[in-house]
Each structure stands twice: as C-alpha cells, then as structure tokens.
Amino acid sequence: MRDLITDASVLQVLRGYNKWWETGMVPDDFAKPVKRFAYYDAKQSFEHPTIRRHVILTGPRRVGKSTIMYQTIHDALERQVPAKNILYVSFDHPMLKISEIDRILKIFINNVAIDENIYLFLDEIQYAQDWNSWLKTIYDHQPSYRVMATGSASPALSDKMPESGVGRWVQIRIPTLSFYEYLELRGIEVATLPDKIKPTALSELSARDLNDLMGKLQPLERHFHRYLLIGGFPEIALSDDVSYAQRIIREDVVDKVLKRDMVALFNVRHIDELERIFLYLCMTTGNIIEAATISNHMDITRPTVLKYLNFLELANLIYMGYPMDMTGKKALKAKPKVYLADAAIRNAVLLQGEEVLHDPEQMGMIVESAVYKHIHTFYYNFNPKVGYFRDSASQKEIDIVVMMPTSKILLEIKYRENPKIKESEAIVEWSRKENGSSASLLITKNAEDYGMLEHAPIMRIPAFAFLYLLGHAEKSRFREASLR
C-alpha cells in the first residue's frame, strides 16, 4: 500500500492542510479568537526562550487541541516565522497515517522549507508509527526544530512518554471547557471583578464585600444549567440545539474513543463490554466504584474491569478520585470515586434533555462531577492529591478533598433546596480540627444561599459562583505569568 503513495500525492495533501504556505496566514475558522487557558500554558512551554521542550497536548476529542495548534501557528506567523517553515500534519488522514514521519518531513524539507528553523505541528500523533522514537531523535539531533503535537488517545502517549520523553517533551492536558471559558466563548458579559478574589478565601471578605460580589455574579445563574447540559466542548457550546449537540458528543467524542481508538491502538476486542461499563459509569458518576460489583453484575472478569477503567481514564473520558488519608496526606489505593470528564457526556449518553434539571438526585451527581473536574483542572499544575474522605468506622464522608503541602480544601456538595449541614457531619468535624489551616466549602444551589455557617467555619457558595470564581482566578494566574 505504501508503494502506491507517491511523494507528489503526499505533498498535495500537505498543501491542502498548510494554506499559509500560499496566503501567509491561518484561515480565520481555524485560529479562533477566543483562547483557552491551556493555550497560555502551551504557549509558555512552546516559546520558552531558554528551556526547549516538545509540547504534547492531550485531552478528550473536540476540546480544541487542534485550535490551540492553529493559534500557535498564527502567533509564529505574527512573529515573522517564515510561513514555509511551518508544517502541520494530521495523522487522521489515511494517506499520512501510513506514511512514516521521516518520509513526510523529507518531502517537506526538499520541496517547501526555506531553512532549518522548522516548526512542526503533528495532530493525532498516536496514529503515527514509532512516533516517540522519532520525537526523541528530533529533539536530540535537530536543536533548531520546535514541535507541538496532539493526542486524544492518551493510553498510547502515557505508555511511551516515560521511555523517551523525560527532559524532552512536556504533556499538557486540555480539559473540557470550564464554566468561565464557556461564558467567555458565548460572549456573555460579566461585571468586572477584582483580580485578587480567591474562591477558597471568601471568608476573608466583609459581609458587604461578599454581598457585592454575589450580586455581580447572580446574573450568571441562568446560564449554568445549559452549561451542564452541553457546555463542555467549544464548538458544541455555541449551538442552541440541545438534542443535536448531544448527538455530536455521542458520535464524535464517546463513540470514536470506544469504537475506534480503543480498537486501533489497544486491540480491545469486546467493545460491548467496554460500552456497558462506560454506560454504568455514566449512570453512577460521582459514586464510589467497586470493580467486583461491576464484574458480578455484568459477567466480566475483575481484571478486565480494572483494565477498562484504566483505559477510560487514560482516554480522558473519566477521572478517578481515591480516598484520602487526612493525616498522612496521601491517596489510598482503595475504592475510587469515578467522575465523567464532563457533565455533558453523561447527558448525551443517557439521552437526557432538560428534564434532568428537575431531578434533584441526578443534578447532585452532575454538579459534583462538574465541581470535581474544575478542581482537578485548576490545581493540576500544582500536583496535589485530589480525592474524597470516608471514615472507615462511621462511614462519614467528605465529597472532595484537595491535599496541598501545607493545607487542605474540603468540599461538600449539597445541590438542593435548603441544604442542611448537621453537627455530626465529617466536614464540620474536620473544618474545626484544621483550625483555619484549610478552606471548607459547602457548594449550594441557589444564588442567595451563601455566607458562613453559624455553627462551623464553613463557607456556603452557590455552584455556579464557585466554578466561575475558579475560572476567574485561573485567568488572573495566567495574566500575572504573562507579565513576568
């Protein structure tokens, strides 16, 4: 088959992808004006003046990894990098998929490139043959090259990275849209907030300042439910057709991973087993998962269940949070809580329209998943331990625990009308034990349900306000970094 593919035909495909060779610019539809937080993270590593690293973007399908690459190409052109020194390759294309990277690069160098200062952008690199060895060779022997790549199927990437990637490339995870990014993408205006607002330090505000802050955020409440239904994927978030958006999520995000990536890259033969397990996780997101229970109910061996859970996590479809040792600051390898990578995935797979918004139990699960995703993303670069706490004797639980080197963040999600926190609940006990060294938060439903509890050092804050403030703090963090 490779013998039938000529250099001329490969070059023709490359010309189709690299329009800037002729026009000098990236088409507007590709380099979109709104930039995600991850763009700034990727830009810092890719353009670093002294520390050279290849950059590999990983994350679910349809989260905008390719857009970040096109925005980076646009930046390079703005910096007067010669257009013909910039090569974009998509290994989703069948002809390029079966062509060796080395051959593609030689065709580019011999026919297009001006000099050796090459910028390479490699999309869906996991489908390229022997990609990790090739990147290692490029890093070691071509110091004038800069490389950015994407991969949706992180199991392949994660297996290869430890072998060759240490000191050569950095992996940047691209999550689905945060609530803040969703509002920004939709062009929804928000009142100006101070840069120094910390969502975990609202107890430091005076009652007047807290009331003023919540008043500014209150108009965002009406956008929150729509975000939970379909808002996690950039292109889909712009649609006003909920049922069509959910269909695209099922087909382009879930089905392509389960039926294509898993088969092509890992030789998963029993797709029906994988689909049944993923459906179960959609129905139970935010709950503690026992592999033995899934094994017994589905007649699938326990090792197979554990293998598929690992695949789904590495494929960026789920997060797994493990129980935390509240005194030893470590995660215990016991029964994990499993969260979907985005609440919209659950609604799309289970064919849930707006009626789910009126089901308190399901909304509690959906919001807890959204909170976990935001927390995991916000603290990702700090490498904390994120999981949950459950007392083995009393079975009392704290929904989400973030372990930092010198402090903890404790979160309890009660997304319902008139939430109550009893004296006997674990978060009350531990918020008192911490004696101010941690932030304890009760995530609520209604816009007016905020402020300190009277009987415990716990701050109530509505879910939509908390998630927005996390995004606002993250944007401020990137803004400060860009000024240094």
Side-chain angles (χ1 to χ4, degrees):
M1 184 67 179
R2 290 185 177 89
D3 295 337
L4 300 176
I5 299 174
T6 66
D7 287 1
S9 61
V10 171
L11 183 59
Q12 184 178 8
V13 173
L14 295 179
R15 289 191 186 280
Y17 279 122
N18 295 266
K19 299 293 186 183
W20 46 88
W21 292 349
E22 303 300 328
T23 66
M25 58 185 181
V26 180
D28 291 341
D29 288 347
F30 294 170
K32 302 183 187 303
V34 177
K35 294 178 171 64
R36 300 211 42 201
F37 295 148
Y39 157 84
Y40 299 100
D41 206 359
K43 179 181 176 70
Q44 182 182 39
S45 295
F46 187 74
E47 298 179 359
H48 201 283
T50 57
I51 303 175
R52 174 173 165 257
R53 292 288 185 273
H54 297 334
V55 175
I56 299 183
L57 310 177
T58 67
R61 290 184 175 273
R62 308 288 296 226
V63 294
K65 299 186 297 296
S66 298
T67 297
I68 291 173
M69 292 180 75
Y70 284 122
Q71 290 169 334
T72 307
I73 293 171
H74 175 270
D75 292 346
L77 293 170
E78 289 278 296
R79 299 196 318 274
Q80 304 303 310
V81 173
K84 291 189 175 181
N85 275 4
I86 301 173
L87 173 64
Y88 169 90
V89 180
S90 173
F91 290 102
D92 254 350
H93 191 287
M95 188 180 296
L96 300 181
K97 185 184 297 185
I98 62 175
S99 300
E100 292 85 358
I101 297 179
D102 188 54
R103 181 191 180 192
I104 294 171
L105 184 57
K106 285 180 179 177
I107 292 171
F108 168 67
I109 290 173
N110 292 337
N111 294 276
V112 181
I114 296 172
D115 55 41
E116 295 182 350
N117 296 308
I118 303 297
Y119 284 62
L120 299 179
F121 296 87
L122 309 173
D123 219 350
E124 298 294 356
I125 196 174
Q126 76 273 4
Y127 286 114
Q129 187 177 38
D130 203 25
W131 65 266
N132 59 307
S133 296
W134 186 86
L135 284 187
K136 177 181 181 295
T137 300
I138 285 292
Y139 186 91
D140 292 343
H141 300 288
Q142 300 290 350
S144 63
Y145 284 34
R146 289 191 178 270
V147 179
M148 180 178 288
T150 75
S152 298
S154 291
L157 302 179
S158 296
D159 286 345
K160 300 296 184 183
M161 281 181 179
E163 300 173 16
S164 308
V166 176
R168 294 184 176 92
W169 56 78
V170 59
Q171 180 180 5
I172 296 176
R173 180 165 182 165
I174 316 297
T176 58
L177 290 170
S178 69
F179 184 44
Y180 184 99
E181 290 176 310
Y182 164 80
L183 294 171
E184 189 174 46
L185 186 68
R186 295 277 296 185
I188 296 166
E189 294 186 6
V190 182
T192 302
L193 304 180
D195 280 347
K196 300 299 182 181
I197 290 290
K198 293 184 178 180
T200 55
L202 297 180
S203 60
E204 298 174 7
L205 297 180
S206 67
R208 179 177 178 177
D209 287 344
L210 183 60
N211 288 337
D212 180 62
L213 174 64
M214 291 302 161
K216 290 179 176 179
L217 296 179
Q218 196 277 332
L220 304 182
E221 183 180 22
R222 63 189 181 91
H223 301 285
F224 185 53
H225 284 165
R226 189 189 175 286
Y227 164 73
L228 294 176
L229 285 177
I230 63 169
F233 299 89
E235 183 181 353
I236 300 167
L238 294 172
S239 171
D240 291 317
D241 187 336
V242 173
S243 61
Y244 178 73
Q246 292 185 338
R247 173 187 160 191
I248 296 300
I249 293 172
R250 287 195 306 276
E251 294 177 356
D252 283 12
V253 179
V254 178
D255 286 351
K256 281 189 177 179
V257 172
L258 298 184
K259 298 177 181 178
R260 177 182 169 185
D261 293 341
M262 296 295 189
V263 175
L265 297 170
F266 307 104
N267 198 29
V268 174
R269 298 180 180 179
H270 300 289
I271 299 301
D272 61 320
E273 293 182 347
L274 187 61
E275 287 184 305
R276 281 189 287 145
I277 289 174
F278 187 65
L279 178 62
Y280 176 83
L281 298 179
C282 288
M283 297 172 67
T284 58
T285 181
N287 285 293
I288 296 172
I289 297 299
E290 296 191 56
T293 301
I294 299 176
S295 173
N296 293 334
H297 286 176
M298 298 189 182
D299 195 25
I300 303 171
T301 67
R302 185 174 181 275
T304 299
V305 172
L306 293 172
K307 178 179 70 175
Y308 285 165
L309 288 174
N310 183 50
F311 279 2
L312 290 169
E313 183 179 30
L314 291 172
N316 302 295
L317 286 180
I318 63 172
Y319 297 103
M320 289 201 286
Y322 290 90
M324 307 299 298
D325 176 358
M326 293 285 275
T327 56
K329 297 188 177 181
K330 62 183 179 180
L332 306 173
K333 287 296 181 181
K335 304 169 187 174
K337 273 189 176 184
V338 175
Y339 298 94
L340 293 181
D342 193 88
I345 294 175
R346 179 185 193 272
N347 300 322
V349 171
L350 298 182
L351 298 176
Q352 292 182 314
E354 296 186 19
E355 63 275 5
V356 73
L357 301 176
H358 306 292
D359 186 322
E361 182 176 351
Q362 293 197 62
M363 285 300 294
M365 296 164 61
I366 290 170
V367 171
E368 182 174 338
S369 293
V371 171
Y372 186 92
K373 191 222 46 184
H374 279 70
I375 287 286
H376 186 279
T377 300
F378 183 81
Y379 290 104
Y380 181 72
N381 288 335
F382 297 93
N383 197 30
K385 302 290 189 248
V386 184
Y388 70 96
F389 169 73
R390 172 171 281 191
D391 185 273
S392 57
S394 66
Q395 298 298 298
K396 293 177 182 179
E397 185 178 311
I398 300 175
D399 290 333
I400 300 173
V401 175
V402 183
M403 291 285 198
M404 305 293 281
T406 59
S407 64
K408 304 181 184 72
I409 301 169
L410 314 177
L411 299 103
E412 189 73 19
I413 292 86
K414 292 189 181 294
Y415 195 79
R416 54 178 180 261
E417 301 294 333
N418 301 315
K420 304 295 183 185
I421 288 283
K422 300 176 182 177
E423 285 279 348
S424 58
E425 294 197 36
I427 192 170
V428 173
E429 177 184 350
W430 279 97
S431 65
R432 290 170 175 165
K433 281 184 180 180
E434 291 299 307
N435 195 28
S437 66
S438 70
S440 299
L441 301 169
L442 172 62
I443 308 300
T444 61
K445 177 181 179 181
N446 295 322
E448 65 275 8
D449 199 352
Y450 64 87
M452 291 296 294
L453 293 180
E454 294 181 358
H455 62 285
I458 299 173
M459 171 63 71
R460 294 172 298 146
I461 180 171
F464 74 89
F466 176 66
L467 298 188
Y468 181 82
L469 289 174
L470 272 179
H472 180 268
E474 191 168 8
K475 185 67 172 282
S476 298
R477 192 167 71 201
F478 283 117
R479 188 182 296 116
E480 288 177 2
S482 67
L483 295 175
R484 290 179 192 146

